[in-house]
Amino acid sequence: MKRSFALLLLIALCLAPLSVSEAQAQAIGQWQVYPAYTNATANVVMGSRVYALMERNLLCYDTEDQSVKTYNSLEDLSDVRITHLNVSTQAQRVILVYDNSNIDLLDKEDRVVNLDGLKNSSLMAKEVNAVVVEGGTAYVLTGFGFLEVDMREGVIRDTYRLEKSLTGIRFTDTYVYVSTASGVLRCARNATWNEAANWTASTDFTVAQVCYVPAEYNLAGGLYWHSDGLDGLRGYKRNADGSYAPAAGPIRPNSPVRDLFYRMQYVGDRLLVSGGVNTPYAIYQPATAMIFEDGRWSYLDEQGPKQQYPTLRHYNTTHLVQDPTDANHHFASPYRTGLYEYRDGKFTGLYNKRNSPLQDIVEKGKPLGDNYTSATALKFDGEGNLWMANQQTDTIVRVLTPQGKWHSLYYEDIVQAPTAYDYLFTTSGVNFLCSHRITNRGFFGFTTNGTLNTTRDDDHLLRQTLTNTDGTSRTPDQFYCMTEDLNGQVWCGTNLGLYIIEDPTRFFDNDFRFLQIKIARNDGSGLADYLLVDVPISCIAVDGANRKWIGTAGSGLFLVSADGQETIHHFQAKHTPLLSDNIQCLAIHPATGLVMIGTDRGLCSYMSDASQALADLDADRITAYPNPVGPDYDGLVTIDGLTQDAEVKITSSTGQLIHSGTSNGGRFTWNLRTRGGRRVSSGVYQVIANTGNGSKAVVNRIVVIK
């Protein structure tokens, strides 16, 4: 066996040295999560370990060997977004409470006991306010009362419904005290806590004295440990005079700075992320702009804007774009404070009404000031012009040329539109602006006819009522997204479902109709249903096989075939590692097919079985992995570097056909089985690839060791 293994390995090295890139390490069908471990907010100590809450994610630092372990919902924990943690040294367990009231108990061997009773209960006001540990018992304080958790046994011992929101609990030898909005209540320790009559008002302690206050410093490894926000977890030495001096850290693994993912796009291998919000209400989140490249995260300067413009509200970065001629030059749009410019990650300038045509939002005829200057929907066109939407003004469309010249394009259709968020420049020459909601909402199409200094010869039209090819008309409340596929069709998402513009050049015609894909019921009735009708479509991305990844607001993630007739996957959080069914944005790495999925609970990814197709077949550019295939491997062999719809055959060394099929974009996968379903034996297998029209063939080899 060892001799045959060595022989086959030699053949693999000599005949089929097909390489694997670092980006291909994530196997087909495999999930990955990207929690933020940057903002340290709380920590507890158990033995030599410091458990820290980092942007609602968990990290553990061992003071004995200086190792750092990060925890996530895919590999370790039961959920995401931890809001409270505490520790019982008696039980040798850490208690974690999530924002949905789920509870985990974690021991020093990293074993988890999940207590989902509160999460799954029908109790009202079950949000958790605090967790207090007394000996081996944790008291989980909620909006209705509290739970008693036995941390040794790993069970919820009892639930006490006081019908009051509790913020703290305190014990004496005689009484148990709880703090509420209306004051302090007490009950004898030996009384029945579930009887409301046993709880009476008390002046023994003030509310502040009963409220739970996490420890500011925790002692481990001879140091005091403090959660220093964006500076990470730090260890401090206490000086003789009572002051503290930094002695360890900061402990802050490379990761996203926050679990905020509103919009994403790939520029080559670089993923650009803006945090922002996806809500009709003004929820202020920190201005977050991130870049992910080669497995490393970096962030655009957040302090520069605050220092130079302290009176402005620096919140909700909705868009981030990169200069097509300079990879170190970026623009970002925060929520209503103009246009920000960055070079080498550092803030270099602000554009607003003082130095550009951008105008303040006007309300009742009055400009509202510098904190109301919107410059969203950032998008570079093919000529390097930067487009933006100056919302809620007379002239929404603004353009900054590479030479620094500004253009303002007036279109009566979208005057004063308050939520024009996304541009799409199609290969047909027709441009679109997606106006999401409220007034002047809809899909706005326009052409420039090659000129930016006049709109007189432009075609332009705002469609708010969508009429399909059956003549049925509907008017959505939300117009979420527009994406062009590989055939030039524009797939559109609304709160009423999916619509398609088959030919963008006909958008301005009086008889134009949207396509809604019909799926036959196949029940003998001859009837069909529209694909994803009434499902809110929040975002759409197109992969290398022209298939559509469709994100929804509440129904998870769909993958449908190029024509939409087949639903290939439907991912939901309850059945898969998908972090949430609320998908906010999608981005697909063109070369690897990695699907990045931004949700309202963080970022995850899924390795697709499709990648971008190459224009021509070239044996030197075809990769296969793993190769050689070891005896313990039971996944897919992936072949990349193919042309669109390439015909692929797997044959034995004697020429017997083992497997065949068509590539998804530039990728083909083989499950190491014959057409009859039997796993192949050890040997060298040939990969024969032809272009779609059969004009060219390429042969490579895969070694299988069984």
Side-chain angles (χ1 to χ4, degrees):
M1 178 63 185
K2 290 182 179 179
R3 184 175 179 181
S4 62
F5 180 93
L7 178 60
L8 287 172
L9 185 58
L10 179 62
I11 293 173
L13 295 174
C14 295
L15 297 181
L18 305 184
S19 63
V20 181
S21 72
E22 185 176 335
Q24 294 164 339
Q26 191 170 334
I28 301 296
Q30 187 177 56
W31 291 83
Q32 188 172 341
V33 293
Y34 307 82
Y37 299 107
T38 304
N39 184 18
T41 57
N43 70 81
V44 295
V45 166
M46 186 168 68
S48 65
R49 291 185 164 195
V50 185
Y51 293 87
L53 198 57
M54 313 283 285
E55 190 69 17
R56 298 192 175 189
N57 301 300
L58 186 66
L59 170 150
C60 177
Y61 176 71
D62 196 314
T63 59
E64 288 186 349
D65 58 13
Q66 288 78 53
S67 64
V68 176
K69 175 177 172 55
T70 57
Y71 299 81
N72 62 67
S73 61
L74 186 61
E75 300 170 331
D76 314 285
L77 305 179
S78 304
D79 223 313
V80 296
R81 301 185 76 175
I82 303 166
T83 55
H84 303 280
L85 85 164
N86 212 325
V87 64
S88 168
T89 55
Q90 289 187 15
Q92 286 292 287
R93 276 177 167 162
V94 174
I95 183 170
L96 310 171
V97 179
Y98 301 91
D99 67 348
N100 59 3
S101 301
N102 205 357
I103 299 173
D104 273 347
L105 301 180
L106 175 71
D107 69 16
K108 59 185 178 181
E109 276 76 43
D110 294 330
R111 294 173 299 201
V112 170
V113 174
N114 178 235
L115 306 176
D116 59 2
L118 180 60
K119 170 191 171 184
N120 296 331
S121 74
S122 58
L123 291 170
M124 301 296 291
K126 62 183 180 182
E127 68 279 358
V128 175
N129 300 324
V131 178
V132 179
V133 172
E134 179 89 358
T137 303
Y139 297 90
V140 180
L141 311 178
T142 72
F144 64 80
F146 63 97
L147 274 67
E148 191 177 38
V149 177
D150 189 324
M151 293 184 65
R152 294 187 186 91
E153 297 297 323
V155 296
I156 297 175
R157 186 184 299 148
D158 214 335
T159 300
Y160 302 96
R161 299 185 60 178
L162 307 186
E163 307 306 333
K164 294 181 181 293
S165 181
L166 306 188
T167 55
I169 190 167
R170 179 170 179 168
F171 296 89
T172 66
D173 291 341
T174 309
Y175 294 103
V176 55
Y177 298 84
V178 294
S179 55
T180 74
S182 57
V184 176
L185 302 176
R186 78 177 188 184
C187 179
R189 292 198 69 159
N190 59 2
T192 302
W193 294 356
N194 253 331
E195 292 184 10
N198 291 337
W199 291 90
T200 58
S202 171
T203 58
D204 297 349
F205 299 101
T206 67
V207 169
Q209 289 172 325
V210 178
C211 279
Y212 172 65
V213 179
E216 183 70 11
Y217 290 94
N218 292 297
L219 186 53
L223 298 177
Y224 292 86
W225 294 90
H226 187 242
S227 296
D228 280 346
L230 292 177
D231 289 330
L233 176 68
R234 290 178 180 266
Y236 289 85
K237 181 184 295 184
R238 187 171 186 177
N239 299 321
D241 62 359
S243 63
Y244 293 91
I251 298 164
R252 188 179 57 188
N254 186 263
S255 73
V257 67
R258 299 181 185 90
D259 289 323
L260 297 175
F261 297 89
Y262 178 45
R263 280 183 174 81
M264 301 185 295
Q265 64 169 317
Y266 269 106
V267 180
D269 291 329
R270 177 178 288 180
L271 181 70
L272 305 182
V273 178
S274 51
V277 290
N278 190 7
T279 172
Y281 308 104
I283 297 176
Y284 296 118
Q285 299 281 11
T288 303
M290 303 180 282
I291 296 175
F292 185 52
E293 185 176 24
D294 296 330
R296 302 288 297 175
W297 289 90
S298 59
Y299 328 111
L300 268 61
D301 178 18
E302 294 184 10
Q303 296 306 313
K306 296 177 182 178
Q307 293 167 355
Q308 295 188 40
Y309 300 95
T311 62
L312 295 184
R313 295 195 298 249
H314 305 281
Y315 296 115
N316 295 353
T317 304
T318 60
H319 295 78
L320 173 63
V321 292
Q322 180 173 300
D323 187 337
T325 65
D326 184 352
N328 297 313
H329 186 203
H330 295 87
F331 291 90
S333 55
Y335 185 72
R336 293 182 174 178
T337 47
L339 175 67
Y340 288 5
E341 185 173 17
Y342 298 83
R343 291 187 183 274
D344 298 314
K346 298 297 182 182
F347 176 73
T348 58
L350 165 68
Y351 295 93
N352 58 18
K353 67 182 177 185
R354 304 179 190 281
N355 59 356
S356 77
L358 295 173
Q359 296 298 307
D360 300 343
I361 289 173
V362 176
E363 191 173 280
K364 297 181 180 179
K366 180 182 178 181
L368 296 183
D370 290 345
N371 273 309
Y372 293 88
T373 306
S374 173
T376 62
L378 300 183
K379 185 84 170 182
F380 277 103
D381 65 16
E383 297 179 353
N385 300 308
L386 177 59
W387 294 68
M388 65 202 75
N390 191 191
Q391 297 179 35
Q392 221 161 328
T393 64
D394 283 343
T395 305
I396 300 295
V397 179
R398 312 280 184 178
V399 185
L400 177 61
T401 71
Q403 295 76 32
K405 184 177 181 180
W406 287 86
H407 292 279
S408 300
L409 282 66
Y410 175 82
Y411 297 107
E412 185 178 0
D413 319 58
I414 53 172
V415 166
Q416 290 290 321
T419 58
Y421 283 158
D422 294 285
Y423 283 103
L424 174 65
F425 304 123
T426 71
T427 54
S428 69
V430 178
N431 308 316
F432 291 96
L433 179 59
C434 187
S435 184
H436 284 210
R437 58 183 183 271
I438 317 178
T439 58
N440 288 349
R441 67 184 183 273
F443 297 130
F444 176 66
F446 66 102
T447 62
T448 64
N449 287 310
T451 60
L452 295 177
N453 56 359
T454 180
T455 59
R456 294 176 184 173
D457 58 349
D458 295 356
D459 291 319
H460 56 90
L461 181 65
L462 176 68
R463 290 194 180 273
Q464 297 180 300
T465 297
L466 311 183
T467 303
N468 67 17
T469 52
D470 292 332
T472 301
S473 298
R474 302 183 75 186
T475 304
D477 293 322
Q478 306 273 344
F479 294 78
Y480 287 114
C481 59
M482 307 182 79
T483 303
E484 185 179 26
D485 73 4
L486 301 184
N487 294 330
Q489 295 183 338
V490 177
W491 290 55
C492 309
T494 76
N495 68 302
L496 299 181
L498 184 68
Y499 290 82
I500 298 172
I501 302 172
E502 295 182 276
D503 181 358
T505 63
R506 297 200 59 225
F507 184 80
F508 309 102
D509 295 349
N510 291 332
D511 61 350
F512 171 80
R513 296 291 184 266
F514 287 87
L515 171 67
Q516 282 190 281
I517 296 171
K518 294 180 180 179
I519 307 298
R521 294 180 182 176
N522 294 322
D523 59 359
S525 66
L527 300 177
D529 299 297
Y530 294 126
L531 174 65
L532 299 177
V533 65
D534 291 330
V535 175
I537 308 298
S538 54
C539 50
I540 303 171
V542 179
D543 68 18
N546 204 28
R547 304 178 306 180
K548 305 341 184 261
W549 294 79
I550 301 174
T552 72
S555 297
L557 177 64
F558 292 84
L559 170 62
V560 301
S561 58
D563 60 4
Q565 286 296 315
E566 178 188 1
T567 297
I568 300 167
H569 291 300
H570 180 199
F571 299 117
Q572 292 181 290
K574 63 183 177 182
H575 301 305
T576 72
L578 183 66
L579 296 177
S580 169
D581 288 335
N582 293 311
I583 314 300
Q584 298 190 153
C585 54
L586 296 167
I588 301 178
H589 191 290
T592 67
L594 184 67
V595 183
M596 302 296 279
I597 308 162
T599 78
D600 62 346
R601 299 175 73 83
L603 178 67
C604 57
S605 69
Y606 178 85
M607 182 56 79
S608 166
D609 60 351
S611 65
Q612 189 177 56
L614 299 184
D616 296 298
L617 283 176
D618 184 342
D620 293 335
R621 300 181 67 181
I622 295 179
T623 60
Y625 51 94
N627 190 22
V629 180
D632 297 328
Y633 184 74
D634 194 34
L636 298 172
V637 173
T638 302
I639 301 159
D640 271 334
L642 304 172
T643 55
Q644 187 76 34
D645 296 327
E647 296 177 358
V648 181
K649 296 179 181 179
I650 309 293
T651 67
S652 67
S653 57
T654 61
Q656 179 185 3
L657 180 63
I658 303 297
H659 185 74
S660 64
T662 304
S663 66
N664 284 327
R667 173 169 292 167
F668 181 81
T669 58
W670 176 36
N671 62 3
L672 293 171
R673 282 167 170 74
T674 65
R675 289 182 294 175
R678 179 178 55 84
R679 183 180 170 93
V680 296
S681 303
S682 298
V684 179
Y685 294 86
Q686 296 188 95
V687 179
I688 304 172
N690 296 272
T691 58
N693 59 14
S695 61
K696 184 177 181 181
V698 172
V699 178
N700 268 301
R701 295 173 176 83
I702 297 173
V703 174
V704 177
I705 303 164
K706 187 174 180 181

